[in-house]
Amino acid sequence: MKDLFMYSLLVLSFSSLNGCYWENFSKTERVEPIRLTAPNSIETLIDEIKSATENGYRIRMTGSGHSHSDVAITEDILLRPIQLIDVLEIDRQRLYDPEETQLVRVESGITVRKLNSYLDSQGLALPNMGGYDGQTIVGATMTGTHGSGLDHGPMASQIVSLQIVVDDGRVLQLEPSNGITDPDNFPGVLEENTDINVELIQNDALFNATKISIGSMGIVYSVVLKTDKKFWLEEIRTLSTWEEVKAPGGFLDRLINGLPLDDTEVQPEYYELQYNPYKVGGERSILITKRYKSYEPLPIDTERGQPGTTMLSGLITLLEKPLIWIVDNFQFIAPILVEQSLKSQSDESYINVSYKVFNIGIVNYTEAYAMEMGFDLDESIAAIERTFELGEQLRDKGIVHSAPVSIRFVKAADELIAMQQGRDTMIIEFIMINGIKGDRELFNTYAQTLMEEFQARPHWGLDFKLLQGTEWASILFPKWEQWIQHYETLNPNGTFDGRVTDRLGISTSPR
Ligand SMILES: Cc1cc2nc3c(=O)[nH]c(=O)nc-3n(C[C@H](O)[C@H](O)[C@H](O)COP(=O)(O)OP(=O)(O)OC[C@H]3O[C@@H](n4cnc5c(N)ncnc54)[C@H](O)[C@@H]3O)c2cc1C
């Protein structure tokens, strides 16, 4: 059953007397498209796309609107995913291995939250995810959304097959050359409606071009994900210092050199860092988070961090405006606030099912912006130390951080324009509560400097339009030209152009 209640809510909340508008979660982007609609089946999706192409309109699908950047937007026909949210059947006769039990097929608009609940009910789980679950699965994968841990690529790497509607209404099923589907057993029609033809293409480059394509190569109807068995995580958060973390034998030194992170047999599969951009008492604090996986059920611990931390985070979320005033007017307080945030998160043990540990919880609802840049893992120490200098320069100009800076690690990705393409990646995430003085200047200073000095790559969703034109895109993403070729093949009429392709200077029919 499609969720008609959600649909009515959407129509109510996004209609105005002057027409329809769409706004992203962080209210950084807003558009009044010619048409805002939510297809409720692949048939209506095909009709919308064919009609857009025939009439010379652009068409795009949004996810949950959680990108701060312009990636989801077109002024013409904007589709919402809220009626493409179902789990679908897999036709096992088509597979090389019909017995494979960890493949799950879903419509593109299912949220990570709903997907997690479904997987849990089946004794399955996503192998990794970001720190939040409000995104749609394809909205998340399209921008290179990631979690942390060098055994895992971005979430897009969990997709093993996808069905995409291209500009003339054809449905392509894209897979890698060693894909899950046996071409000899492929009937050439859609599982749900045998009147719809589907063309199977098993081609590595095309598959890797499409999975992360910021909505610009067609609209994905469904994906097949390779999931894991259900697992539990024990999270341990320890306060340390930058000197300890970067010293020989310290966390970063071990990670960069491929050494075990712990001196015990059991190793954490997931890990991340948070640091205070400012020294307090002569030391720079770092919070090390390690997460240990267990397929055996573990006793669940309901509260994370020091007692009262969840309540405190909730209060900060509620009392943002006074907090902004305090930070803006008493900037000396910023380092102490950030220090307190790190200390309150330290925890000897927090245990829950995997997806509840990956999800960092209530802080996701704070009205905040985040901006991410990805670096070659080997440059982690130099890049992080450069951010310390930039942080001090910004403070001298009266611009201060209002939250810890977070660091995550992601395995090298095959997807052509992934921020993790071709290199194990260290990702720095800068977070600012909305409205703090100088927030945009802070983001711009870090992004521009780190891009120029380290060839750091922006996250397609957590970015404030750093890339203008193709010059830097082609320097930062080594497979950019290859991606452009596939983009041009699948977008010959400019049907999937949008604000992002205009900004990048790659629209087929620029505006
Ligand atoms: C609170 C919060 C927490 C976050 N946490 C993380 C994190 O831990 N790690 C991380 O990496 N990022 C994180 N992000 C960033 C977020 O994951 C990405 O911006 C993601 O792309 C948002 O997904 P969405 O469903 O909202 O899609 P949107 O932002 O609405 O769209 C993203 C892109 O997907 C395209 N798209 C959507 N559906 C389709 C479709 N069916 N076919 C073709 N194209 C489609 C859109 O056109 C657009 O280009 C976070 C963002 C927020 C606001």
Side-chain angles (χ1 to χ4, degrees):
M1 268 297 283
K2 304 294 178 188
D3 197 338
L4 281 174
F5 175 67
M6 285 284 289
Y7 182 47
S8 331
L9 270 184
L10 172 105
V11 172
L12 284 175
S13 56
F14 288 94
S15 297
S16 71
L17 284 177
N18 302 325
C20 289
Y21 69 90
W22 181 87
E23 206 168 43
N24 64 351
F25 178 76
S26 52
K27 299 190 170 50
T28 51
E29 295 291 331
R30 181 191 159 103
V31 64
E32 289 187 23
I34 295 170
R35 192 167 138 73
L36 180 65
T37 184
N40 62 3
S41 64
I42 185 159
E43 292 82 357
T44 49
L45 181 61
I46 292 171
D47 288 347
E48 290 286 355
I49 294 173
K50 267 168 72 173
S51 149
T53 306
E54 282 160 17
N55 293 297
Y57 286 128
R58 293 174 166 190
I59 186 166
R60 283 191 155 241
M61 174 71 90
T62 76
S64 302
H66 281 77
S67 297
H68 306 316
S69 62
D70 50 4
V71 281
I73 290 186
T74 174
E75 281 81 6
D76 292 2
I77 298 170
L78 195 58
L79 305 181
R80 297 281 286 130
I82 51 167
Q83 297 204 85
L84 292 173
I85 56 172
D86 284 342
V87 176
L88 299 170
E89 289 293 323
I90 293 189
D91 176 1
R92 300 195 166 273
Q93 301 313 311
R94 305 172 177 212
L95 304 181
Y96 279 115
D97 179 6
E99 307 301 319
E100 168 65 87
T101 53
Q102 286 172 219
L103 297 178
V104 173
R105 181 165 171 258
V106 290
E107 288 184 317
S108 56
I110 192 170
T111 58
V112 174
R113 187 173 306 145
K114 184 174 171 191
L115 177 59
N116 280 332
S117 299
Y118 170 76
L119 294 178
D120 190 319
S121 72
Q122 302 300 305
L124 297 170
L126 292 175
N128 199 3
M129 57 177 262
Y132 179 59
D133 59 6
Q135 312 93 325
T136 62
I137 187 64
V138 171
T141 51
M142 275 283 160
T143 61
T145 294
H146 58 88
S148 193
L150 284 176
D151 289 341
H152 300 272
M155 290 179 77
S157 65
Q158 297 165 20
I159 297 178
V160 293
S161 177
L162 63 87
Q163 291 173 327
I164 187 166
V165 185
V166 292
D167 73 338
D168 54 5
R170 279 178 306 136
V171 182
L172 309 182
Q173 180 163 328
L174 304 182
E175 296 186 2
S177 52
N178 61 351
I180 54 171
T181 304
D182 179 353
D184 292 339
N185 288 329
F186 186 70
V189 290
L190 191 73
E191 291 88 332
E192 292 76 38
N193 179 348
T194 51
D195 290 337
I196 297 178
N197 293 328
V198 179
E199 188 183 337
L200 174 66
I201 305 177
Q202 294 179 317
N203 176 301
D204 292 331
L206 181 60
F207 184 59
N208 288 322
T210 315
K211 277 195 286 177
I212 297 184
S213 57
I214 42 173
S216 310
M217 290 172 66
I219 295 181
V220 176
Y221 161 63
S222 74
V223 292
V224 178
L225 300 158
K226 177 77 198 281
T227 66
D228 199 346
K229 286 182 293 182
K230 178 173 177 174
F231 59 95
W232 285 256
L233 287 171
E234 177 173 22
E235 175 180 271
I236 299 178
R237 285 183 157 162
T238 322
L239 208 54
S240 181
T241 64
W242 173 242
E243 294 307 322
E244 280 174 7
V245 164
K246 75 162 186 175
F251 176 92
L252 258 183
D253 179 65
R254 288 174 180 233
L255 191 68
I256 294 167
N257 292 301
L259 301 170
L261 291 177
D262 286 351
D263 292 328
T264 52
E265 203 181 313
V266 182
Q267 294 294 316
E269 183 166 325
Y270 310 91
Y271 34 82
E272 55 193 62
L273 303 172
Q274 290 176 62
Y275 68 78
N276 190 339
Y278 310 114
K279 285 187 175 173
V280 173
E283 296 276 21
R284 191 184 306 276
S285 295
I286 293 238
L287 186 72
I288 306 174
T289 297
K290 293 178 180 169
R291 292 170 178 154
Y292 300 81
K293 185 174 194 171
S294 167
Y295 289 110
E296 292 301 316
L298 297 173
I300 286 173
D301 172 2
T302 48
E303 189 165 17
R304 171 182 241 161
Q306 298 296 302
T309 303
T310 310
M311 204 176 80
L312 191 70
S313 303
L315 269 178
I316 290 176
T317 305
L318 279 174
L319 301 175
E320 258 179 67
K321 294 287 178 278
L323 189 67
I324 293 172
W325 187 85
I326 291 170
V327 174
D328 279 349
N329 288 284
F330 304 98
Q331 295 200 332
F332 67 89
I333 237 168
I336 304 159
L337 273 180
V338 177
E339 191 73 8
Q340 204 44 46
S341 161
L342 294 178
K343 281 189 178 152
S344 68
Q345 294 178 65
S346 65
D347 195 342
E348 283 172 9
S349 173
Y350 167 64
I351 300 174
N352 217 323
V353 286
S354 58
Y355 58 96
K356 293 190 179 168
V357 178
F358 289 135
N359 188 336
I360 57 170
I362 192 156
V363 286
N364 279 313
Y365 298 96
T366 309
E367 277 193 40
Y369 299 134
M371 188 276 290
E372 284 194 3
M373 301 295 288
F375 302 77
D376 189 325
L377 177 71
D378 291 338
E379 294 201 277
S380 297
I381 292 177
I384 294 168
E385 290 191 332
R386 183 70 176 116
T387 69
F388 299 159
E389 290 171 6
L390 293 170
E392 289 305 335
Q393 285 168 20
L394 285 160
R395 178 154 64 164
D396 290 345
K397 291 172 79 176
I399 300 173
V400 292
H401 284 260
S402 53
V405 178
S406 133
I407 298 180
R408 290 185 276 180
F409 304 92
V410 186
K411 185 177 161 183
D414 294 327
E415 292 77 15
L416 303 186
I417 58 163
M419 76 190 295
Q420 307 87 0
Q421 212 296 319
R423 64 188 194 194
D424 282 346
T425 295
M426 183 273 298
I427 293 169
I428 307 187
E429 180 183 30
F430 304 92
I431 302 161
M432 290 288 272
I433 295 178
N434 283 11
I436 294 259
K437 199 163 65 188
D439 51 4
R440 290 302 177 92
E441 187 175 342
L442 180 140
F443 289 137
N444 291 342
T445 303
Y446 281 116
Q448 193 71 37
T449 314
L450 298 170
M451 176 178 80
E452 288 172 6
E453 294 182 7
F454 291 90
Q455 277 75 57
R457 302 173 185 162
H459 184 306
W460 289 106
L462 298 180
D463 162 56
F464 293 92
K465 306 179 194 169
L466 176 68
L467 301 178
Q468 303 282 336
T470 50
E471 186 194 347
W472 271 101
S474 58
I475 294 171
L476 301 177
F477 298 97
K479 305 233 164 139
W480 180 256
E481 292 308 328
Q482 210 180 331
W483 182 77
I484 289 285
Q485 282 169 18
H486 291 291
Y487 157 75
E488 286 173 353
T489 308
L490 285 194
N491 185 37
N493 302 300
T495 305
F496 304 111
D497 288 348
R499 277 195 192 161
V500 64
T501 57
D502 287 342
R503 167 165 64 88
L504 292 169
I506 59 169
S507 292
T508 310
S509 304
R511 288 187 187 167

